[in-house]
Amino acid sequence: MLNIGDPSIQAHEVFMQRCLQLAVLGAGHVAPNPLVGAVLVHQGRIIGEGYHKKYGGPHAEVNCIDAVAEKDRELISRSVMYVSLEPCAHHGKTPPCADLLIRHKVPQVVVGCRDPFPEVNGKGIEKLRAAGIDVIVGVCEEDAKAVNKRFFTYHTAYRPYVTLKWAQTADGFIAGIPGERLMISGALTNRFVHRWRSEEAAILVGTNTALQDDPQLNTRYWTGPDPIRLVVDLDLRLPVSLQLFNGASRTIVINTIKQGEEQGIQYYQVDRKKELVPQIMEALYRLRINSVLVEGGAVLLQSFIDSGYWDEARVITNTALTAGTGLPAPRLLMAESVYTEPIQTDLIQVFTRPAVSL
């Protein structure tokens, strides 16, 4: 338990915030692993920094210690390691980070929050303490959890973190008359959307959106990785000529007819007689997809809202465009506004579902 009267707490928070700044640099590259940053400090001076850069690659603590200059190597055993998430204690794709810190005789470790993954969840902290290392847990804990909201949701709610996204006109329409594509958001806003895509493990659209818009669902307007493409096509009526099936990135078709993989496309079968959204959540959990951006259409978006399976909604409103008629935008129920930003004629609003515990 932290002693908030301790003057060292402020210093701990400063270095932990640096860990969190580093952690988010791995966004889009480490899933289903968590975002983690680490900082090694000797008498108030940072001598090493690192973050988890790529799934399957070295963890933050390894990169941090490797970054220490040769002239400072002797200081490692007299320094404090700050890490945003509990060091792992198990053999996964890499050796345990707790063992690394013990081997380098780091005397104190300051942790942002515990890791909810069952293979860790307190075991890393216990191992460090058993080796005589002083461990402080809970510095900037809420911020540390927020950075890993996707990871925490996956391991505590047993489903992916769900972000809804749509663009609407000033008078509340998501599309124009049938057969006519309505371009709502501007070019600059589209770059934001593609950045959002790069931060999520997967992106999901419905059958009608795939047919009418023929989307690529990639990050061509941003530098990040493309998400896994998911499409709901219950009756398998989408033509293979669509860009979704061009092989550019992994594509999964949620349907009621078949299971397996054919010609590079993965098919995941669901039961037509059961509610769709919970089945999608179960499918993505089983596929180890810890976050999904739902981009449409309106019926699919509304089904996520009505079922309560959503965590965040990002709504883009073109304040200078009216449609007069068309397809109404989804209706958020009990949403809490957390962020608003104008971009030219577009207004980006971010909402969260209240009372969601990470």
Side-chain angles (χ1 to χ4, degrees):
M1 181 67 69
L2 290 174
N3 176 5
I4 59 175
D6 186 340
S8 65
I9 296 304
Q10 184 175 0
H12 286 335
E13 291 179 348
V14 169
F15 293 122
M16 188 58 67
Q17 287 295 331
R18 178 56 183 160
C19 288
L20 297 175
Q21 289 175 343
L22 292 167
V24 298
L25 297 177
H29 299 277
V30 303
N33 281 357
L35 300 168
V36 185
V39 173
L40 192 63
V41 178
H42 178 261
Q43 295 183 356
R45 179 173 69 91
I46 294 176
I47 63 172
E49 293 186 337
Y51 65 96
H52 186 27
K53 296 181 179 181
K54 185 178 181 180
Y55 176 68
H59 288 186
E61 298 93 327
V62 176
N63 289 330
C64 179
I65 286 180
D66 285 349
V68 177
E70 189 62 36
K71 65 182 179 64
D72 289 330
R73 301 293 294 181
E74 63 175 1
L75 303 178
I76 295 176
S77 61
R78 289 177 279 150
S79 300
V80 180
M81 172 66 77
Y82 292 84
V83 59
S84 58
L85 189 70
E86 175 183 3
C88 61
H90 68 296
H91 282 271
K93 289 187 175 293
T94 60
C97 291
D99 290 355
L100 173 74
L101 301 180
I102 293 169
R103 187 167 66 251
H104 281 278
K105 299 180 180 180
V106 175
Q108 186 178 58
V109 177
V110 180
V111 177
C113 62
R114 283 174 57 143
D115 187 334
F117 181 51
E119 293 294 324
V120 185
N121 201 5
K123 297 181 180 68
I125 294 168
E126 291 173 5
K127 178 176 277 193
L128 293 174
R129 285 176 173 162
I133 294 175
D134 178 30
V135 182
I136 296 175
V137 183
V139 174
C140 303
E141 183 172 13
E142 293 308 310
D143 289 341
K145 287 183 176 180
V147 162
N148 273 310
K149 56 191 178 184
R150 298 164 180 83
F151 182 77
F152 270 77
T153 299
Y154 183 83
H155 287 290
T156 60
Y158 309 107
R159 64 167 178 81
Y161 186 89
V162 178
T163 300
L164 311 178
K165 173 264 168 182
W166 70 85
Q168 63 185 23
T169 62
D171 53 349
F173 291 95
I174 196 172
I177 60 175
E180 179 181 314
R181 189 175 182 185
L182 183 62
M183 305 301 293
I184 298 176
S185 54
L188 184 56
T189 305
N190 286 338
R191 292 184 178 274
F192 276 81
V193 172
H194 283 233
R195 186 186 74 182
W196 297 342
R197 289 178 177 180
S198 74
E199 295 168 349
E200 307 302 339
I203 181 170
L204 172 67
V205 296
T207 309
N208 289 336
T209 297
L211 274 175
Q212 295 170 13
D213 296 347
D214 191 15
Q216 298 182 58
L217 302 184
N218 59 18
T219 58
R220 60 193 180 278
Y221 299 142
W222 196 255
T223 56
D226 292 334
I228 297 169
R229 300 182 295 193
L230 307 169
V231 60
V232 177
D233 183 16
L234 298 182
D235 299 313
L236 295 181
R237 61 189 181 92
L238 292 176
V240 294
S241 58
L242 293 178
Q243 295 185 99
L244 280 172
F245 306 123
N246 61 14
S249 59
R250 182 182 173 191
T251 299
I252 302 172
V253 181
I254 299 166
N255 72 99
T256 61
I257 298 173
K258 61 183 178 181
Q259 179 86 10
E261 185 170 330
E262 293 181 10
Q263 298 180 335
I265 304 299
Q266 187 174 352
Y267 295 88
Y268 195 100
Q269 190 173 8
V270 295
D271 189 340
R272 189 187 298 275
K273 297 178 182 178
K274 297 179 181 179
E275 189 178 349
L276 178 61
V277 174
Q279 291 186 84
I280 293 176
M281 293 293 93
E282 181 181 358
L284 300 191
Y285 180 77
R286 290 178 179 273
L287 292 166
R288 300 186 68 212
I289 295 173
N290 70 3
S291 70
V292 60
L293 180 66
V294 184
E295 284 209 12
V299 173
L300 184 62
L301 286 161
Q302 194 65 54
S303 67
F304 272 86
I305 296 170
D306 293 343
S307 66
Y309 283 104
W310 69 282
D311 300 285
E312 188 174 321
R314 301 175 183 179
V315 182
I316 301 166
T317 303
N318 186 331
T319 59
L321 176 66
T322 57
T325 186
L327 182 63
R331 303 180 314 281
L332 281 176
L333 307 174
M334 297 180 64
E336 181 179 330
S337 177
V338 295
Y339 175 78
T340 301
E341 180 179 359
I343 300 179
Q344 297 175 338
T345 60
D346 291 336
L347 181 67
I348 296 178
Q349 294 173 285
V350 178
F351 303 89
T352 59
R353 187 164 61 89
V356 176
S357 174
L358 296 180

